Amino acid sequence: MTDTPARLLNLLSLLQTPREWPGSELAERLDVSPRTIRRDIDRLRELGYPVEASRGSVGGYRLVAGTAMPPLLLDDEEAVAIAVGLRAGAGHAIEGVDEASVRALAKLEQVLPSRLRHRVSTLQNATMPLTRGDGSTIDPRTLTVIASAVTGQERLRFAYRAGDGAETKREAEPYRLVSTGWRWYLVAYDLGRGAWRTFRVDRVSEPFATGARFAARELPTGDASEFLAGSIARRQPQLAVDVSFAAPADFVSARLPASIGPLEPTGEHSCRLRAVLADSLEWVALRLALVDCEFTAHEPPQLVDYLGDLGARLARAAAR
């Protein structure tokens, strides 16, 4: 193999498998001399790939973790597996899968050959993930188009369906994608209305990056998450929640979205939640019921009443 760039790519692909490669085996695989392999290893090191060499009769080369993330080479199966995994997580706004995951998905799908994009779509359409049921699913392409427009500072056009069902066409300067742990939101400057707005991404359709660049405006709050929290609070009545749990704080916090707020340990096997939530009464009751431990709701009265009604309905359902 005399083409140096092609040989380096093949060498890198071999080294990215989790094993140690004797220099003689690499030379045989690539049909070059051991001396050429040593020179190519030095070239990879210069490019930032941390290749470690071990001496001895059974010594060889292997790729190890470094201080920076160099480019990775993926085969077809690996690329499809990663894309499907990112799509599944991003499409359901799973807690902990934030904007960085969506950016990674956008970059990967941008360079995937059409044949692999077709395989990814086919595999995803043929499977159904088990989700929590308290969020709305999103077409991953919608997320990737928006993420690319955010990164590239391109104006975005899209159709939007409001909570009352009214449908409008929007043109906006996208600022950030924000995940609340169960939904994705777009924070953007709405050009038609001349103001900053937040949009639920599951209500966005037909997103189109126009290619028109823009200079980023200064967000009033300076932080997209803070702006979103304020926007949600203005649209929805707040609930001042006070709930005691008969379980340790780490057990309960692992079963509640981080957006609900911190828990206060009240003992070795108990904790308390005091928070102001801009969420529906039904959603809060459902999240509390899914914690899987005994709890007592102290405030607000409407939450106490709703939990009582919900418990009675569930008891009647079990009795039948």
Side-chain angles (χ1 to χ4, degrees):
M1 181 179 290
T2 58
D3 186 344
T4 301
R7 188 178 66 248
L8 284 175
L9 288 173
N10 278 285
L11 174 59
L12 182 58
S13 181
L14 292 172
L15 290 174
Q16 285 182 342
T17 57
R19 57 160 289 189
E20 189 168 279
W21 290 88
S24 57
E25 186 175 351
L26 290 173
E28 182 179 351
R29 287 280 192 118
L30 300 177
D31 194 24
V32 294
S33 67
R35 182 180 177 183
T36 298
I37 291 295
R38 288 194 294 271
R39 286 202 304 264
D40 287 349
I41 292 293
D42 289 337
R43 290 191 181 100
L44 288 178
R45 287 169 175 161
E46 291 171 1
L47 292 172
Y49 292 94
V51 182
E52 184 180 83
S54 59
R55 299 183 180 277
S57 58
V58 293
Y61 302 100
R62 65 189 182 95
L63 201 62
V64 298
T67 58
M69 179 69 181
L72 293 175
L73 290 179
L74 303 173
D75 62 28
D76 287 3
E77 301 300 327
E78 293 165 341
V80 169
I82 291 174
V84 169
L86 287 172
R87 275 185 165 210
H92 293 273
I94 295 173
E95 188 173 358
V97 180
D98 56 12
E99 186 185 348
S101 300
V102 180
R103 290 201 308 270
L105 178 59
K107 290 178 181 178
L108 181 58
E109 294 205 339
Q110 183 179 357
V111 297
L112 278 181
S114 58
R115 57 186 174 82
L116 295 188
R117 283 199 298 270
H118 176 71
R119 286 178 59 185
V120 171
S121 298
T122 299
L123 181 56
Q124 188 182 39
N125 292 337
T127 58
M128 179 175 292
L130 180 63
T131 58
R132 297 176 304 185
D134 56 359
S136 301
T137 60
I138 304 169
D139 181 354
R141 181 184 171 279
T142 298
L143 277 173
T144 56
V145 170
I146 294 175
S148 296
V150 169
T151 303
Q153 292 188 334
E154 291 183 59
R155 288 184 177 177
L156 191 69
R157 290 180 187 152
F158 55 91
Y160 191 69
R161 175 178 51 81
D164 59 3
E167 297 188 0
T168 55
K169 297 290 186 180
R170 304 293 183 100
E171 184 171 2
E173 296 175 353
Y175 183 78
R176 287 289 185 277
L177 275 169
V178 182
S179 171
T180 64
W182 64 305
R183 281 200 181 108
W184 282 102
Y185 289 85
L186 168 65
V187 176
Y189 187 83
D190 190 322
L191 294 169
R193 288 153 178 76
W196 287 96
R197 292 286 189 269
T198 58
F199 303 94
R200 271 179 49 174
V201 178
D202 58 296
R203 294 176 178 170
V204 170
S205 60
E206 305 171 31
F208 173 72
T210 65
R213 306 285 179 177
F214 64 89
R217 301 171 190 265
E218 185 176 352
L219 190 67
T221 62
D223 181 82
S225 298
E226 184 180 339
F227 182 83
L228 173 64
S231 176
I232 293 175
R234 287 190 297 272
R235 292 197 302 262
Q236 192 165 348
Q238 293 184 328
L239 292 174
V241 175
D242 185 359
V243 181
S244 297
F245 297 93
D250 56 352
F251 175 90
V252 177
S253 62
R255 289 158 176 79
L256 287 175
S259 58
I260 281 185
L263 292 159
E264 173 192 348
T266 55
E268 186 178 356
H269 301 291
S270 63
C271 62
R272 194 157 186 163
L273 171 68
R274 293 186 178 96
V276 177
L277 307 178
D279 293 298
S280 69
L281 188 68
E282 295 79 9
W283 185 84
V284 173
L286 175 63
R287 293 308 306 173
L288 293 175
L290 292 176
V291 172
D292 196 24
C293 73
E294 296 291 327
F295 68 91
T296 302
H298 306 289
E299 296 288 346
Q302 59 266 40
L303 175 61
V304 177
D305 293 342
Y306 184 83
L307 285 169
D309 293 341
L310 177 62
R313 287 200 302 273
L314 293 176
R316 288 194 297 272
R320 296 193 188 104

